Amino acid sequence: MKEHKNLFDLYVRRVCAAYVISEQEMFSRTKNNDVTEARQMLFLLCYGRPMRVSKITQFVNDRGLSFHHTAVLYSIDRGMEKLIDNEDFREVVKRCSKSNLILHDRKKNLT
């Protein structure tokens, strides 16, 4: 869906601005904590819309970062943990989403 691609691109811009990183950094292989956390937030925002993990993976791969769907799922899980435990992370998610996310327990959906 074109709307998912547009939403993904919008979230990329918002998250990059929030973390003061470039889109090139976002889709690089770096393990820098800020970039890693920014990717976790991006995936969490997309997943919360809801957007399928396969679509998120496709959009990331289209940007030149080879990512497997299991890595996206892992990032979503880490993002969910931070959303619960880290108030600053939660506030940035709210600013970047500017809408209500449909946050659901991914593990429940797998059973």
Side-chain angles (χ1 to χ4, degrees):
M1 283 187 183
K2 180 109 172 113
E3 61 200 40
H4 281 156
K5 176 68 171 129
N6 292 339
L7 186 61
F8 180 84
D9 291 341
L10 174 66
Y11 283 153
V12 167
R13 289 190 303 274
R14 287 180 181 173
V15 172
C16 285
Y19 279 85
V20 192
I21 61 172
S22 68
E23 291 184 23
Q24 184 177 358
E25 287 175 292
M26 171 76 84
F27 298 104
S28 69
R29 271 277 162 216
T30 184
K31 301 259 186 193
N32 174 291
N33 285 340
D34 286 341
V35 176
T36 300
E37 189 171 286
R39 277 195 297 261
Q40 291 169 353
M41 184 175 294
L42 172 64
F43 300 162
L44 181 65
L45 286 166
C46 292
Y47 186 72
R49 275 306 285 198
M51 189 181 298
R52 290 184 175 273
V53 172
S54 60
K55 275 292 179 198
I56 300 167
T57 304
Q58 176 189 339
F59 295 149
V60 170
N61 290 335
D62 289 348
R63 292 285 193 113
L65 179 59
S66 179
F67 240 61
H68 193 268
H69 75 276
T70 55
V72 173
L73 290 170
Y74 179 82
S75 292
I76 291 168
D77 288 344
R78 297 299 70 76
M80 287 292 255
E81 289 172 6
K82 287 180 182 168
L83 195 63
I84 293 166
D85 298 335
N86 186 323
E87 188 174 332
D88 292 334
F89 186 85
R90 196 166 39 250
E91 286 304 312
V92 176
V93 166
K94 285 180 188 176
R95 281 198 326 259
C96 288
S97 70
K98 295 186 181 175
S99 67
N100 293 328
L101 295 175
I102 302 168
L103 296 176
H104 49 275
D105 188 347
R106 184 183 70 74
K107 292 181 175 106
K108 285 183 184 175
N109 293 338
L110 297 177
T111 58

